[in-house]
């Protein structure tokens, strides 16, 4: 059953990649993604395939990691016996609250940032997901791997996410499915399933463009994003807001001109004040 759960997680990843591509891409890779998804569904046992299809017709987030004894999507606390059953992986286990298929990744990177106190002012816009300490205005990179390594290290050293090495590996695995580079030198590498807290965003700007993928796409501005399962739907709105903001040349120029983390943070918050709520 462990191999089937792994297949389902891979299938979930492909479906979400397709959703992202529909929202932000030009549609050039949809046929290939659809073919891969259909092939993986056909490879599932018939009873699992039919169950997966029923869940898919309701919501495209079908898999739910178990985190701290709870379903990471709906937050329902799970019985100890069911948590043990998820770990043993002898049968498919579903959440009693949201009916998603449960799985556990013990070695996945985790969000480790502190929870806000009541005394802290309420954050708005991009400040809910990022901070000045996650800005890299002098990014030096020759590849996607270089850029992701720098930004993942910044997340870990800043006390936001654990295990930068696992974060890097997961982000590069996602890139192998379909490049997250876009026009105008933008790239949006990301990792899903980083549980324990909120969505987190780090931004790096390279003064010199570098090749991001095998197609030779040139990139200057990189947003590395970690995504808890519960906010997968919001992530699409975040990407749409970032894309809307930085398709505008003056906003990209403001990021490129920033020389310090403080200046880059100011440019980022100003550019996204109307597109990210």
């Amino acid at each position: 059953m462990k191999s089937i759960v792994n297949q389902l997680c891979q299938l979930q990843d492909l479906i979400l990649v397709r959703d992202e591509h529909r929202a932000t891409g030009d549609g050039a890779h949809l046929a290939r993604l659809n073919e891969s998804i259909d092939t993986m569904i056909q490879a599932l046992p018939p009873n699992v395939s039919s169950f997966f299809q029923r869940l898919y017709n309701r919501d495209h987030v079908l898999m739910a990691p178990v985190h701290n004894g709870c379903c990471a999507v709906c937050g329902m606390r799970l019985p100890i016996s069911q948590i043990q059953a998820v770990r043993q992986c002898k049968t498919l286990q579903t959440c009693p609250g949201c009916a998603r298929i449960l799985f556990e990744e013990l070695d996945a990177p985790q969000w480790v940032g502190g929870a806000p106190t009541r005394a802290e002012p309420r954050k708005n816009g991009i400040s809910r997901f990022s901070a000045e300490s996650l800005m890299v205005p002098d990014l030096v990179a020759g590849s996607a791997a270089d850029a992701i390594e720098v930004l993942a290290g910044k997340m870990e050293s800043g006390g936001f996410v654990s295990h930068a090495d696992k974060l890097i590996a997961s982000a590069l695995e996602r890139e192998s499915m379909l490049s997250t580079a876009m026009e105008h030198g933008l790239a949006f590498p990301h990792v899903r399933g980083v549980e324990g807290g909120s969505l987190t965003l780090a931004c790096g700007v390279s003064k010199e463009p570098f090749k991001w993928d095998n197609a030779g796409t040139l990139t200057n501005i990189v947003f590395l994003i970690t995504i808890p399962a519960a906010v997968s739907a919001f992530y699409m709105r975040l990407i749409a807001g970032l894309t809307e903001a930085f398709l505008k040349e003056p906003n990209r120029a403001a990021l490129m001109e920033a020389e310090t983390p403080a200046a880059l943070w100011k440019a980022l918050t100003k550019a996204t004040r109307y597109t990210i709520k």
Side-chain angles (χ1 to χ4, degrees), residues 242-255:
L242 288 169
T243 303
E244 180 183 351
F246 293 106
L247 286 180
K248 299 174 181 177
E249 194 280 331
N251 289 339
R252 298 196 305 275
L255 295 191

Side-chain angles (χ1 to χ4, degrees), residues 34-250:
N34 285 331
E35 182 179 353
S36 297
I37 290 168
D38 290 342
T39 300
M40 291 192 71
I41 291 175
Q42 291 169 10
L44 293 170
N47 61 325
V48 176
S49 176
S50 61
F51 179 57
F52 189 88
Q53 290 278 19
R54 289 199 301 273
L55 290 177
Y56 175 80
N57 290 335
R58 189 187 68 179
D59 192 335
H60 288 191
V61 178
L62 309 98
M63 306 296 293
V66 174
H67 180 75
N68 286 343
C70 298
C71 169
V73 177
C74 73
M76 184 170 189
R77 182 158 294 281
L78 304 170
I80 294 176
S81 59
Q82 187 169 31
I83 295 172
Q84 292 173 340
V86 171
R87 289 173 179 168
Q88 292 170 354
C89 205
K90 293 181 179 179
T91 59
L92 284 184
Q93 296 292 315
T94 58
C95 173
C98 65
R100 292 178 172 89
I101 299 170
L102 298 169
F103 70 99
E104 188 171 46
E105 284 187 310
L106 297 177
D107 61 345
Q110 301 290 320
W111 193 87
V112 295
T117 66
R118 292 185 178 181
E120 290 180 318
R122 181 182 177 86
K123 294 180 179 180
N124 298 306
I126 199 74
S127 64
R128 288 184 292 155
F129 324 115
S130 191
E132 183 180 320
S133 60
L134 294 175
M135 302 294 104
V136 183
D138 53 355
L139 178 66
V140 178
S143 65
D146 292 343
I148 290 169
E149 180 178 357
V150 171
L151 295 178
K154 181 67 70 173
M155 284 186 174
E156 183 180 48
S157 63
F160 289 88
V161 175
S162 68
H163 302 300
D165 56 337
K166 295 173 183 175
L167 193 67
I168 295 164
S170 296
L172 291 176
E173 183 178 356
R174 164 60 185 83
E175 289 295 323
S176 70
M177 296 183 192
L178 187 67
S179 172
T180 59
M182 297 178 60
E183 59 183 336
H184 303 301
L186 303 171
F188 298 93
H190 54 273
V191 177
R192 294 182 181 274
V194 181
E195 309 302 335
S198 67
L199 184 152
T200 306
L201 178 149
C203 176
V205 177
S206 172
K207 306 306 181 187
E208 295 295 329
F210 60 93
K211 291 183 180 180
W212 183 264
D213 51 31
N214 291 334
T217 309
L218 294 179
T219 299
N220 289 95
I221 301 169
V222 183
F223 298 97
L224 176 63
I225 306 169
T226 64
I227 312 160
V231 298
S232 289
F234 176 79
Y235 165 72
M236 299 303 296
R237 298 202 299 272
L238 173 64
I239 285 292
L242 288 169
T243 303
E244 180 183 351
F246 293 106
L247 286 180
K248 299 174 181 177
E249 194 280 331

